[in-house]
Amino acid sequence: MKLIITTLFLISSLTIFSQSNQIIGDYIRTLGDEEAHIIKYKLTLNQDGTFFFHSYSNNKKGIPPEVNKYGKGKWKADKNIISFFTDKKNDIDEKHNLDFENSKARFISKSPRDKTDKIIKTSLQFFESKIFWIEKLQIFKE
């Protein structure tokens, strides 16, 4: 009986771990064009449960023309929902001033059971955030 319970626990743990391995990596989104106005987003989800976010905006007619914004903290996956946490003491500083506390994104990927030719790019779709311009952002895995 102990062997069966241990085996079931091990299998469920491996399933959870394999899903978070799919999630780990770099996510990027570029909007606009180089001539007038470009916005680039990059989110890196690390194996150790930390994340790093960089937003770059270059508006040729803006003041200032180039803006960089950074954020960092921890992330946790629960099924297909990624929750982001920012420790105000350790993660917020002069450079990393974006507060991702209570931000949530949905992990989107093609189901392994889907045998159709439909193409679904692996991505994260934010649906909750205190940062208004991130709330509906969809970024794609590199």
Side-chain angles (χ1 to χ4, degrees):
M1 184 67 174
K2 287 182 182 180
L3 181 63
I4 293 172
I5 292 173
T6 304
T7 305
L8 288 173
F9 179 73
L10 180 63
I11 290 171
S12 66
S13 297
L14 289 174
T15 305
I16 292 169
F17 182 72
S18 69
Q19 182 181 6
S20 56
N21 268 344
Q22 285 182 317
I23 296 169
I24 294 166
D26 292 330
Y27 295 82
I28 295 176
R29 179 83 188 254
T30 302
L31 303 169
D33 61 63
E34 297 282 341
E35 299 299 320
H37 182 80
I38 191 161
I39 301 172
K40 295 180 181 179
Y41 303 106
K42 181 175 182 182
L43 174 68
T44 301
L45 299 180
N46 299 312
Q47 180 83 33
D48 64 357
T50 60
F51 75 88
F52 179 77
F53 180 84
H54 177 221
S55 168
Y56 169 78
S57 175
N58 186 349
N59 185 351
K60 304 291 185 200
K61 298 178 182 176
I63 300 175
E66 287 189 33
V67 177
N68 287 288
K69 295 183 180 183
Y70 299 92
K72 65 179 181 175
K74 297 194 180 307
W75 66 275
K76 183 178 79 166
D78 183 20
K79 297 183 182 174
N80 285 339
I81 303 299
I82 314 300
S83 300
F84 297 88
F85 307 98
T86 302
D87 181 4
K88 292 190 188 323
K89 292 181 182 176
N90 298 323
D91 297 328
I92 302 284
D93 56 30
E94 191 173 308
K95 181 179 178 182
H96 302 91
N97 55 11
L98 292 176
D99 184 1
F100 275 80
E101 187 66 26
N102 295 323
S103 293
K104 293 184 180 181
R106 183 170 289 106
F107 178 71
I108 301 168
S109 68
K110 186 173 181 177
S111 171
R113 296 180 304 208
D114 187 351
K115 302 300 180 195
T116 65
D117 291 337
K118 180 172 52 171
I119 297 172
I120 297 176
K121 292 177 81 174
T122 302
S123 65
L124 288 178
Q125 171 76 53
F126 283 89
F127 63 89
E128 189 176 309
S129 181
K130 290 187 272 184
I131 306 167
F132 74 93
W133 49 271
I134 286 183
E135 192 160 347
K136 298 196 188 279
L137 178 66
Q138 184 174 16
I139 51 179
F140 301 98
K141 191 163 187 183
E142 210 176 33

